Amino acid sequence: MGKSSENRLKIALAGLGTVGVGVLDLLRDNADLLARRCGRGIEVVAVSARSRNKPRGGHDLSALQWFDDPVAMAREADIDVLVELIGGEDGPARAAVEAALQRGVHVVTANKALLAHHGVALARLAEANGVALNFEAAVAGGIPIVKMMRESIAGNTVKRVYGILNGTCNYILTKMEEEGREFGDVLKEAQELGYAEADPTFDIGGWDAAHKLAILTALAFGCEIAMDDVYVEGIENVTLDDIRYARGLGYRIKLLAVAVDTGEGVEQRVHPTLVPVGSPIAEVNGVFNAVEVRGDFVDDVMLEGRGAGAHPTASSVVADIADIARGVRVPPLGLPVERLRPYERARMRAHHGGYYVAMNLWDKPGEVAAIAQAFADEGISIESIVQKGESITRSVPLREHEREQPTAPFILITHDTQEGAMRAALARIEAEGHCAGSPRMIRIERFR
Ligand code: HSE
């Protein structure tokens, strides 16, 4: 056996789906380049997948050691690194990662659900066993945001991080706006392109972005991971009408993930958000993700790139493997687990900002005045109003008895206000019966 062969980094790959095949592609296509950069070869020696017989991008895996059980592979295979691409917060993914760490095998994972729920315990296990736990691919696909947070801005106090963290949702919202297509139709396309999770409700319900945000929050503020504290709203109820009206008023709708250290605790939220057209975040389209971090010395840094898909995600997985091959070691959460500060939730979780409101107003005298009064009484200032002739029944579902009476779509944008005041005004408008169905609101962020 030659010296370079003895020196090679031996990898076990658990999970051979979209990303797994992407990793095999990269390790094959750029093998020489990686060996030159890392000073040693990187070789997949063992694999585990549910089916042995699926076509896997033309890769011949017959010479590799096969395991039906990824946990057995983590325990028994002669490897340096376990790459976990199975997914899921518990089950075989968690068991395999724990087994590898316990026996002193490095772990690279793309599993955001696992980290969001068990990241602190896994980081502790990695530290106790003196091995790496790297997870660049778990947050924002191909964007090197974990490395940036753990290493590049280590000298900064971070006060805020926000971004577009789900490629599937951003793809859907972009295609709905650009092509006037319906939600379900575009979701199917995103699944075919390999962007969506195995269960796409994780994407469209905002949970995938929430997992990623919970991880980013810990890296940003040096605190424990608090997935249960993320406020989550998905994009299921965003309609083509909302997208069109928002656009007409100078905004785009994005699924934003936001974490802020308020000084009195941390606020974490994921929800559809109107962002001004022309702002950098509004111009992040399709499968692209972006993350902006504000540090006290560096000021704002924004990274943008593909947030999903086989090759961009593989790029992040392999970067983590390359760090291990080179001997680069950083505590998984940016600082040793024992030095993480306990997570403290912000006392007030009220969003302060502008709001988009859509309702089906009864088309008769005095209704607009009543709406204006309800907002005025809550101290809310209206920035712009649109009243159109045609109904927005798709935005605001009507009750049976309401369908016969004339209504007009009424859209407005408010200046910055408190969420409590907005909720009170909308509750009053509904209770007083000024509109058919319930008024709807979407938050606006202007990020000053
Ligand atoms: N389903 C995820 C997305 C893949 O759409 O962003 C990357 O985590």
Side-chain angles (χ1 to χ4, degrees):
M1 197 183 277
K3 193 168 186 309
S4 64
S5 169
E6 284 164 25
N7 190 29
R8 75 205 157 124
L9 190 77
K10 289 172 285 181
I11 308 287
L13 213 50
L16 284 175
T18 307
V19 179
V21 172
V23 170
L24 290 172
D25 290 346
L26 201 168
L27 291 178
R28 176 196 59 204
D29 294 355
N30 287 347
D32 292 344
L33 176 85
L34 279 163
R36 282 207 310 280
R37 287 188 173 155
C38 299
R40 59 201 292 202
I42 295 170
E43 198 178 324
V44 177
V45 297
V47 286
S48 173
R50 249 182 268 156
S51 157
R52 292 189 184 209
N53 304 320
K54 272 195 198 162
R56 295 214 155 81
H59 292 281
D60 177 8
L61 306 176
S62 56
L64 306 182
Q65 200 181 355
W66 268 90
F67 286 84
D68 291 327
D69 176 10
V71 186
M73 179 170 75
R75 283 203 192 109
E76 296 160 21
D78 176 19
I79 51 172
D80 303 301
V81 184
L82 173 77
V83 177
E84 187 274 302
L85 304 172
I86 302 167
E89 69 181 78
D90 284 303
R94 183 180 177 191
V97 166
E98 286 175 349
L101 294 175
Q102 273 156 1
R103 71 182 270 233
V105 164
H106 303 290
V107 169
V108 171
T109 176
N111 190 337
K112 48 256 161 177
L114 176 72
L115 290 159
H117 290 282
H118 308 295
V120 173
L122 294 174
R124 189 175 284 121
L125 198 55
E127 288 171 20
N129 288 284
V131 287
L133 171 62
N134 289 344
F135 48 88
E136 188 63 78
V139 185
I143 302 179
I145 185 66
V146 173
K147 197 166 192 69
M148 185 185 108
M149 303 286 272
R150 288 205 305 207
E151 299 175 46
S152 316
I153 58 164
N156 287 259
T157 300
V158 176
K159 284 290 169 205
R160 182 180 83 188
V161 53
Y162 75 90
I164 294 171
L165 299 181
N166 185 270
T168 302
C169 287
N170 208 42
Y171 186 82
I172 292 172
L173 293 171
T174 302
K175 290 284 174 181
M176 284 172 77
E177 180 188 329
E178 288 178 354
E179 298 171 11
R181 287 163 62 195
E182 291 292 347
F183 186 94
D185 175 34
V186 190
L187 169 60
K188 210 162 146 256
E189 192 174 284
Q191 287 176 288
E192 284 160 9
L193 287 165
Y195 299 159
E197 296 302 296
D199 175 357
T201 56
F202 270 84
D203 295 296
I204 61 179
W207 295 104
D208 176 80
H211 288 146
K212 294 165 180 169
L213 182 68
I215 299 166
L216 280 186
T217 300
L219 294 173
F221 310 135
C223 60
E224 292 181 333
I225 301 172
M227 175 59 206
D228 292 343
D229 197 49
V230 184
Y231 171 82
V232 187
E233 267 178 45
I235 63 164
E236 311 92 320
N237 299 321
V238 175
T239 66
L240 263 176
D241 287 323
D242 290 329
I243 290 172
R244 287 188 186 125
Y245 285 126
R247 190 73 180 84
L249 290 160
Y251 295 89
R252 282 210 174 92
I253 301 181
K254 298 290 182 189
L255 183 73
L256 277 202
V258 183
V260 185
D261 185 350
T262 66
E264 294 178 342
V266 175
E267 178 188 307
Q268 305 182 84
R269 50 194 166 83
V270 172
H271 50 72
T273 311
L274 269 69
V275 290
V277 171
S279 62
I281 199 80
E283 306 309 319
V284 177
N285 288 316
V287 73
F288 282 77
N289 283 190
V291 189
E292 188 178 295
V293 185
R294 178 168 290 175
D296 56 350
F297 274 69
V298 70
D299 200 15
D300 290 336
V301 186
M302 186 167 177
L303 294 185
E304 181 183 349
R306 288 180 188 274
H311 283 183
T313 312
S315 165
S316 288
V317 170
V318 174
D320 279 348
I321 297 173
D323 265 356
I324 293 168
R326 288 162 153 164
V328 175
R329 224 50 104 243
V330 180
L333 296 175
L335 72 170
V337 166
E338 74 203 27
R339 281 186 235 147
L340 291 173
R341 63 176 165 116
Y343 181 87
E344 211 178 315
R345 155 197 289 225
R347 223 175 294 150
M348 293 273 297
R349 197 203 260 154
H351 168 255
H352 180 86
Y355 289 82
Y356 159 97
V357 177
M359 65 185 95
N360 257 351
L361 202 61
W362 298 122
D363 202 3
K364 59 186 171 63
E367 295 297 0
V368 172
I371 302 298
Q373 193 59 52
F375 281 106
D377 288 350
E378 291 295 336
I380 299 167
S381 171
I382 295 171
E383 183 184 287
S384 38
I385 293 180
V386 179
Q387 191 174 17
K388 298 261 185 185
E390 85 276 19
S391 175
I392 51 164
T393 48
R394 275 183 309 198
S395 288
V396 185
L398 298 186
R399 297 177 188 113
E400 196 61 44
H401 71 279
E402 294 168 338
R403 296 217 173 102
E404 302 306 315
Q405 303 172 45
T407 58
F410 186 76
I411 316 297
L412 61 85
I413 297 281
T414 75
H415 285 292
D416 285 2
T417 182
Q418 291 292 348
E419 184 147 336
M422 276 305 295
R423 289 189 182 277
L426 296 185
R428 171 173 157 188
I429 289 164
E430 187 170 359
E432 290 180 357
H434 298 298
C435 59
S438 305
R440 297 158 24 72
M441 68 175 200
I442 305 179
R443 298 167 187 88
I444 299 173
E445 289 286 358
R446 299 186 178 99
F447 289 121
R448 296 186 187 102

